[in-house]
Amino acid sequence: MKYVDMNSAQLQAEYSEVSKCFAEEKQKGLKLDMSRGKPGKEQLDIVSDILTVLSKPEDCVADGLDVRNYGELTGLPCAKKYFAEILGCKPEECFIGGNASLTLMYDTIAKAYTHGLLHSEKPWSKLDTVKFLCPSPGYDRHFNISRSFGMELITITMTENGPDMDAVEEAVKDPAVKGIWCVPKYSNPDGIIYSSEIISRIAHLKPVAPDFVVMWDNAYCIHEFEGDYVPFPDILSICQDAGNPDMVFEYASTSKVTFPGAGISVMAASVDNIKYMAGLITYQSISYDKVNQLRHVRYLKDKTHTLDLMKKHAAILRPKFHTVLDALEHEIAPLGIASWKRPTGGYFVSVDTMDGLAKRTLALCREAGVVMTSAGATFPYGADPRDRNIRIAPSLPPVAELEEAIHVFCVCLRLAALEKLLGRQ
Amino acid sequence: MKYVDMNSAQLQAEYSEVSKCFAEEKQKGLKLDMSRGKPGKEQLDIVSDILTVLSKPEDCVADGLDVRNYGELTGLPCAKKYFAEILGCKPEECFIGGNASLTLMYDTIAKAYTHGLLHSEKPWSKLDTVKFLCPSPGYDRHFNISRSFGMELITITMTENGPDMDAVEEAVKDPAVKGIWCVPKYSNPDGIIYSSEIISRIAHLKPVAPDFVVMWDNAYCIHEFEGDYVPFPDILSICQDAGNPDMVFEYASTSKVTFPGAGISVMAASVDNIKYMAGLITYQSISYDKVNQLRHVRYLKDKTHTLDLMKKHAAILRPKFHTVLDALEHEIAPLGIASWKRPTGGYFVSVDTMDGLAKRTLALCREAGVVMTSAGATFPYGADPRDRNIRIAPSLPPVAELEEAIHVFCVCLRLAALEKLLGRQ
């Protein structure tokens, strides 16, 4: 029975029972973490062979280069070829970075701020106001990069097919609007795949700012955990065909393919953009870690081989997502107090509670020893206007722990809903 | 006989002979590189065991952490301990970075520009003028970082014991002067070790700018190629004792210990500075490559073990430096057309020609197929006021090639001097 359909006595009875459950969970002294999209140990273990794929000096030669020495700022040719195949773009459009695509994204924005982008009239630091579009719910680290540079964050509603493009098209009429954050495949946290129509409208944007930038974080480009690999179009050529060749920077990494934080990353953009950015990055770096670039190329080989590996990751992740989704289905769905999607890739389950329950639910979880991403984190300034979105990251804990953690979450959500309905909070 | 003591006929005869030598060298179609401080292949080969020091999942646990996963932005505790021992500072004063200390230096300046340093009144991007002190000859990549941010570069003369401190003390009375670049041990390119007195005067500076920063690039902290390790004082505690605890950032890396461009780096500074910088870097990175951090700590172990390894590097580098120094001694010294120091560590031999010969000498070298660091590179704006400093990097070529290359250099230098003395250029 839905909570909203219960009368006061029924709610009261339910509240007593759920309170008892909560007290029981609290007593267990749990310490469970569903806060971040960290792969679990089992996922790390299946890629251990990468550690020894380069073991002798003669293994360290590729493309005629000794990868152990300085040089090749934009990355090893074989690494460019690898990522170009994954993303569907050209090798010369790829700049291979260090262990984190986040750093490449930050650097792009930082360069815009200190030097300007290719088509900037001046560095953004010289402007009074810089605004950035933030489809929400979205990825807190994206929003925080913009925020750390003092930009004004504009919330754009996420639809089932991607950002609300009417709002985006309206917003880019403002010359202070300089860009948009996108996670186009298995969006963080909703797991939405942008539709072809949305992608086309993004590529055809006519922003007033000549240096408007689409920050295309293709973090989950090959990260299906349910079903087969879903092909996804190359944003670079779509933007090029739309007459906006320099408007987009795409990012990806192997963080959730091999080791998080010890993988390699890529920034893909028009050849002119890459040339411009490399010209700025040359002051900052002689070259990124090419030993690790080669280690990855030798280990991952190509797209087909990598997709085979992703199937192994999927086999580990799938039961974890099912654990979360089954618990929500079983414990929450009948009560009508929250909704969620059933993603088939990515690293998150995004739950929308009844308005005004997210903070309280997560405070209760914390009390019971279950850490989750902070409420509001998926919105600009960490402020969810309806206080309802909760991002669940099921990847790290083993299934047994996850069962416990998601049960605690469901109890806390129920308790928060009952408190609200009974006017107790 | 010194060229300046030769009469016109003698100079003319010498010119004919040297011209012939030059033509002979040119005909050989050489392709030799003494441009950059790159370790040679033999040096890379002796550290090959680092490739497999982590080979199984259970090897990847340190300090209670699975280093393969995200986290620990400021670095692995064991890596902090390692660098603290090398530098003589405290582990909590160490921030462990990625594959390049240059990137950490750039990031420090970039953060000063975008956000300000700990004691900045405002970000440097908001200031009309920022000036930076550049002891010269110095490292072009340092100067270019400052230059890339539009700073005004102030040349400070290098003495035999370090920067001319009278000039530095005078310069820091200008509130626009925000910092100084230093390579305190085996300075690039002179190979000078800063004296205790100079170091003390640096630490006791009373700059008008509250956010004046000493960029202490201790790149060659354990890089003796001649004789035993030379202990060097910890700049952090000296600055602290001088009442300037937050004035200095020190940098070092394993680029010339293990693999250049695939090593690990450190930024050492006061605990307050590290905390402040980590607070800014948290937007840019979740964590650096901790697998590589652990790989290095397991392989290098500690200072004693690392110094043993540096002896092996020294044994490879020593004959290369001797080749260069012996050739200069034999072919150039008697002619009185250049002077140089005999460094005992670092990666360079710095030659000062008679005024006005550097560019011409290097143009001739290029003609004969020998690539060297561009003339002027060791001065701000790439402009050597006396056109005389040439940086020789003997580390990359095998000894046989180096013998050829340095001979070509000597021939070109002689030819340039003769052209000058005969009024032919």
Side-chain angles (χ1 to χ4, degrees):
Chain A
M1 190 181 194
K2 289 190 179 175
Y3 278 2
V4 285
D5 297 334
M6 287 186 182
N7 63 30
S8 177
Q10 286 169 317
L11 283 172
Q12 192 57 57
E14 177 81 357
Y15 177 72
S16 297
E17 196 194 308
V18 176
S19 293
K20 217 169 70 188
C21 291
F22 178 70
E24 278 166 23
E25 290 301 329
K26 224 172 108 171
Q27 259 197 336
K28 292 182 187 165
L30 301 171
K31 273 197 176 170
L32 302 171
D33 189 344
M34 292 195 297
S35 67
R36 284 281 160 196
K38 279 184 169 184
K41 177 171 162 33
E42 210 186 331
Q43 284 180 269
L44 307 180
D45 288 349
I46 60 168
V47 295
S48 290
D49 287 350
I50 195 174
L51 289 168
T52 48
V53 76
L54 301 182
S55 63
K56 300 177 300 293
E58 52 271 35
D59 296 336
C60 297
V61 177
D63 302 312
L65 295 163
D66 190 328
V67 303
R68 299 171 298 176
N69 223 326
Y70 291 120
E72 298 297 305
L73 174 64
T74 60
L76 280 183
C78 61
K80 294 181 188 185
K81 199 175 142 222
Y82 172 78
F83 272 119
E85 194 198 359
I86 297 281
L87 298 176
C89 63
K90 304 191 190 91
E92 62 270 29
E93 292 169 331
C94 292
F95 181 104
I96 313 299
N99 73 317
S101 55
L102 186 74
T103 302
L104 289 173
M105 293 177 224
Y106 182 95
D107 278 350
T108 306
I109 299 296
K111 298 289 185 275
Y113 199 80
T114 57
H115 294 80
L117 297 176
L118 181 58
H119 298 294
S120 295
E121 280 152 5
K122 50 174 111 170
W124 296 0
S125 62
K126 305 294 181 199
L127 304 174
D128 289 332
T129 312
V130 176
K131 301 178 189 171
F132 227 80
L133 307 183
C134 301
S136 302
Y139 182 31
D140 55 350
R141 290 191 190 272
H142 288 164
F143 302 164
N144 287 341
I145 288 176
S146 288
R147 200 175 167 187
S148 83
F149 286 98
M151 296 176 193
E152 191 179 314
L153 311 187
I154 313 284
T155 301
I156 298 288
T157 304
M158 277 293 280
T159 73
E160 302 236 323
N161 299 309
D164 173 354
M165 287 309 297
D166 290 343
V168 172
E169 284 159 358
E170 186 58 35
V172 302
K173 293 176 184 168
D174 178 350
V177 169
K178 291 291 194 182
I180 183 169
W181 289 108
C182 297
V183 181
K185 191 175 170 186
Y186 307 122
S187 69
N188 178 347
D190 284 327
I192 287 167
I193 301 185
Y194 288 18
S195 69
S196 305
E197 192 218 326
I198 297 265
I199 293 172
S200 176
R201 283 176 75 180
I202 291 174
H204 283 86
L205 280 173
K206 296 275 169 260
V208 173
D211 52 355
F212 181 90
V213 60
V214 176
M215 296 291 286
W216 196 256
D217 183 3
N218 210 343
Y220 307 109
C221 51
I222 50 173
H223 297 64
E224 285 75 18
F225 59 77
E226 197 93 72
D228 285 332
Y229 167 68
V230 177
F232 196 70
D234 166 36
I235 189 69
L236 301 190
S237 52
I238 296 176
C239 281
Q240 192 170 17
D241 293 345
N244 280 321
D246 304 327
M247 191 178 66
V248 64
F249 281 86
E250 178 174 24
Y251 305 87
S253 79
T254 65
S255 286
K256 292 171 181 90
V257 179
T258 61
F259 298 143
I264 61 174
S265 58
V266 63
M267 171 170 75
S270 72
V271 170
D272 285 346
N273 266 337
I274 294 294
K275 195 176 156 194
Y276 176 79
M277 290 302 287
L280 293 176
I281 295 174
T282 191
Y283 296 112
Q284 170 174 11
S285 177
I286 299 173
S287 47
Y288 292 86
D289 186 340
K290 296 188 304 298
V291 170
N292 210 30
Q293 288 177 17
L294 184 58
R295 196 180 273 128
H296 276 75
V297 174
R298 290 274 164 80
Y299 179 72
L300 296 173
K301 293 187 174 77
D302 55 25
K303 187 169 179 175
T304 305
H305 191 260
T306 306
L307 290 177
D308 284 347
L309 172 61
M310 296 314 286
K311 288 272 186 196
K312 294 182 195 165
H313 283 296
I316 297 167
L317 286 168
R318 202 160 42 239
K320 296 187 178 188
F321 276 86
H322 287 181
T323 298
V324 166
L325 291 165
D326 291 354
L328 291 172
E329 203 61 46
H330 183 74
E331 300 186 41
I332 300 297
L335 313 178
I337 55 175
S339 64
W340 54 90
K341 292 181 191 64
R342 293 189 70 92
T344 56
Y347 263 67
F348 304 103
V349 175
S350 175
V351 174
D352 281 327
T353 68
M354 282 165 50
D355 285 8
L357 295 191
K359 269 191 200 154
R360 178 61 183 157
T361 301
L362 296 188
L364 290 168
C365 280
R366 211 164 27 246
E367 238 183 273
V370 174
V371 182
M372 317 258 303
T373 312
S374 306
T378 53
F379 280 80
Y381 306 106
D384 176 355
R386 295 173 65 180
D387 183 27
R388 65 170 189 168
N389 187 249
I390 294 174
R391 187 182 83 163
I392 299 176
S395 54
L396 185 64
V399 171
E401 280 185 26
L402 198 58
E403 280 171 352
E404 187 85 53
I406 192 65
H407 174 62
V408 170
F409 171 78
C410 291
V411 168
C412 294
L413 173 53
R414 290 167 69 190
L415 191 55
L418 290 162
E419 286 173 351
K420 177 115 183 165
L421 293 166
L422 288 164
R424 298 201 178 215
Q425 273 281 326
Chain B
M1 190 181 192
K2 289 189 178 175
Y3 278 2
V4 286
D5 297 333
M6 287 185 180
N7 62 30
S8 177
Q10 287 170 314
L11 283 173
Q12 194 54 59
E14 177 80 358
Y15 177 73
S16 299
E17 196 193 309
V18 176
S19 294
K20 218 168 68 188
C21 291
F22 178 72
E24 280 166 21
E25 291 301 329
K26 226 172 107 171
Q27 262 198 332
K28 292 181 187 166
L30 300 172
K31 273 195 176 172
L32 303 169
D33 189 344
M34 294 196 294
S35 68
R36 283 283 161 193
K38 277 184 170 182
K41 178 170 163 32
E42 209 186 331
Q43 284 180 270
L44 307 180
D45 286 350
I46 60 168
V47 295
S48 290
D49 287 349
I50 196 174
L51 288 169
T52 48
V53 76
L54 300 183
S55 64
K56 299 177 298 297
E58 52 271 36
D59 297 336
C60 297
V61 177
D63 302 312
L65 294 163
D66 191 328
V67 304
R68 298 171 298 176
N69 223 325
Y70 291 119
E72 297 296 306
L73 175 63
T74 61
L76 279 184
C78 61
K80 295 182 187 184
K81 199 175 143 218
Y82 172 79
F83 271 119
E85 194 198 359
I86 297 281
L87 298 176
C89 64
K90 303 190 191 90
E92 63 269 28
E93 292 168 332
C94 292
F95 181 104
I96 314 300
N99 73 318
S101 55
L102 186 74
T103 303
L104 289 174
M105 292 178 224
Y106 182 94
D107 278 350
T108 305
I109 299 296
K111 297 288 184 275
Y113 199 78
T114 55
H115 293 81
L117 297 176
L118 182 59
H119 299 295
S120 294
E121 280 151 4
K122 50 174 112 171
W124 296 1
S125 62
K126 304 295 180 199
L127 303 174
D128 289 333
T129 313
V130 176
K131 302 178 188 171
F132 227 81
L133 307 182
C134 301
S136 303
Y139 182 32
D140 55 350
R141 289 192 189 271
H142 287 164
F143 302 165
N144 287 341
I145 288 176
S146 287
R147 201 175 165 187
S148 82
F149 285 98
M151 295 179 194
E152 190 179 313
L153 311 187
I154 312 284
T155 301
I156 297 288
T157 305
M158 277 294 278
T159 74
E160 304 236 322
N161 299 309
D164 174 353
M165 287 309 297
D166 291 343
V168 172
E169 284 158 358
E170 187 58 34
V172 301
K173 292 176 185 168
D174 178 350
V177 169
K178 290 292 194 183
I180 182 169
W181 289 107
C182 297
V183 182
K185 191 175 171 185
Y186 306 122
S187 68
N188 178 347
D190 285 327
I192 287 167
I193 301 185
Y194 287 18
S195 69
S196 305
E197 194 217 324
I198 297 266
I199 294 172
S200 176
R201 284 176 74 180
I202 291 172
H204 284 87
L205 280 173
K206 296 276 169 261
V208 173
D211 53 356
F212 181 90
V213 61
V214 175
M215 296 291 286
W216 198 255
D217 182 2
N218 210 343
Y220 307 109
C221 51
I222 51 173
H223 297 63
E224 285 74 19
F225 59 77
E226 196 92 72
D228 285 330
Y229 167 69
V230 177
F232 197 70
D234 165 35
I235 189 67
L236 300 190
S237 52
I238 296 175
C239 282
Q240 191 169 19
D241 294 346
N244 280 322
D246 303 327
M247 190 178 66
V248 63
F249 281 86
E250 179 174 23
Y251 305 87
S253 79
T254 64
S255 287
K256 293 172 180 90
V257 179
T258 61
F259 298 143
I264 61 172
S265 58
V266 63
M267 171 169 73
S270 71
V271 170
D272 285 346
N273 266 337
I274 294 295
K275 196 176 154 193
Y276 176 78
M277 290 302 287
L280 293 175
I281 295 173
T282 192
Y283 296 111
Q284 170 173 11
S285 176
I286 299 172
S287 46
Y288 293 86
D289 185 341
K290 296 189 303 300
V291 171
N292 210 29
Q293 289 178 13
L294 184 58
R295 197 180 271 130
H296 275 77
V297 174
R298 289 272 165 80
Y299 179 71
L300 296 172
K301 293 188 173 77
D302 55 25
K303 186 169 180 175
T304 305
H305 191 261
T306 306
L307 290 177
D308 285 347
L309 171 62
M310 296 313 286
K311 289 272 184 194
K312 293 182 196 164
H313 283 296
I316 297 168
L317 287 169
R318 203 159 43 238
K320 296 188 178 187
F321 276 87
H322 287 182
T323 298
V324 167
L325 291 165
D326 291 354
L328 291 172
E329 201 61 45
H330 183 73
E331 300 186 40
I332 300 297
L335 313 178
I337 54 174
S339 64
W340 54 89
K341 292 181 190 66
R342 292 190 71 89
T344 56
Y347 263 67
F348 304 103
V349 176
S350 175
V351 174
D352 280 328
T353 69
M354 283 165 48
D355 285 9
L357 297 190
K359 269 191 202 154
R360 178 62 184 156
T361 300
L362 296 189
L364 290 167
C365 281
R366 209 162 31 244
E367 240 183 89
V370 175
V371 181
M372 317 258 303
T373 312
S374 305
T378 54
F379 281 80
Y381 306 105
D384 176 356
R386 296 173 64 181
D387 183 26
R388 65 170 189 167
N389 187 250
I390 294 173
R391 187 182 83 162
I392 300 176
S395 54
L396 184 65
V399 170
E401 280 185 26
L402 197 58
E403 280 171 352
E404 187 86 53
I406 191 66
H407 174 62
V408 171
F409 171 78
C410 290
V411 167
C412 295
L413 174 54
R414 287 167 70 189
L415 191 56
L418 290 161
E419 286 174 351
K420 177 113 184 168
L421 292 166
L422 288 164
R424 297 202 178 214
Q425 274 279 327

